[in-house]
Amino acid sequence: VQLVESGGGLVQAGGSLRLSCAPSGFAFDEYAIGWFRQAPGKEREGVSCISSVDDTTYYTDSVKGRFTISTDNAKNTVFLQMNSLKPEDTAVYYCAARYLPIGTSYSAQKPLVYEYDFWGQGTQVTVSS
């Protein structure tokens, strides 16, 4: 079971990037997918989440209105569209999957590190001022 991320890079402040997260060995249908980020010297924080149960989404306050989480039609890939990027968005970004057993009622909420079962390798996002 793997999550493969792509899409990071270097961008100027105000620019955009789109991160992708694709599963290998499982389907997203029974999972919540979260995006996390970790800046140097800081703890990993949950940024956004999407629930496969009801397709609800969550964003932490600092990215609301700038980031959008979505899936493709087949739910094979999860995207994090990041617009109006700021230098403080600089971090390694990780996607992660949280298993939701069949019948679970789950609406997207702030993703917490300990709740997630599988992690991607991380992708660097650097925003220059």
Side-chain angles (χ1 to χ4, degrees), residues 21-43:
C21 174
S24 175
F26 70 100
F28 280 151
D29 288 358
E30 297 178 346
Y31 290 83
I33 302 299
W35 282 99
F36 295 77
R37 65 187 180 185
Q38 188 165 19
K42 295 188 176 181
E43 292 188 353

Side-chain angles (χ1 to χ4, degrees), residues 31-33 49-57 75 100 106-108:
Y31 290 83
I33 302 299
C49 170
I50 187 166
S51 168
S52 62
V53 175
D54 59 10
D55 292 329
T56 53
T57 58
K75 293 192 175 181
L100 302 175
Y106 183 85
S107 292

Side-chain angles (χ1 to χ4, degrees), residues 2-126:
Q2 279 187 306
L3 291 167
V4 181
E5 299 143 348
S6 61
L10 172 64
V11 65
Q12 287 188 330
S16 298
L17 286 172
R18 188 175 79 159
L19 306 182
S20 300
C21 174
S24 175
F26 70 100
F28 280 151
D29 288 358
E30 297 178 346
Y31 290 83
I33 302 299
W35 282 99
F36 295 77
R37 65 187 180 185
Q38 188 165 19
K42 295 188 176 181
E43 292 188 353
R44 193 169 298 188
E45 67 164 337
V47 173
S48 182
C49 170
I50 187 166
S51 168
S52 62
V53 175
D54 59 10
D55 292 329
T56 53
T57 58
Y58 165 90
Y59 302 95
T60 195
D61 286 347
S62 61
V63 307
K64 278 181 184 175
R66 300 188 298 121
F67 290 12
T68 303
I69 190 170
S70 63
T71 64
D72 63 0
N73 288 337
K75 293 192 175 181
N76 290 328
T77 304
V78 175
F79 303 100
L80 186 68
Q81 177 68 42
M82 305 186 295
N83 298 330
S84 302
L85 282 162
K86 304 175 180 180
E88 51 263 44
D89 294 318
T90 295
V92 178
Y93 283 71
Y94 300 88
C95 71
R98 172 182 178 176
Y99 179 59
L100 302 175
I102 294 174
T104 299
S105 176
Y106 183 85
S107 292
Q109 56 196 261
K110 183 174 179 63
L112 301 176
V113 171
Y114 72 89
E115 293 177 331
Y116 280 71
D117 304 295
F118 307 112
W119 291 82
Q121 79 284 0
T123 186
Q124 177 70 46
V125 171
T126 303

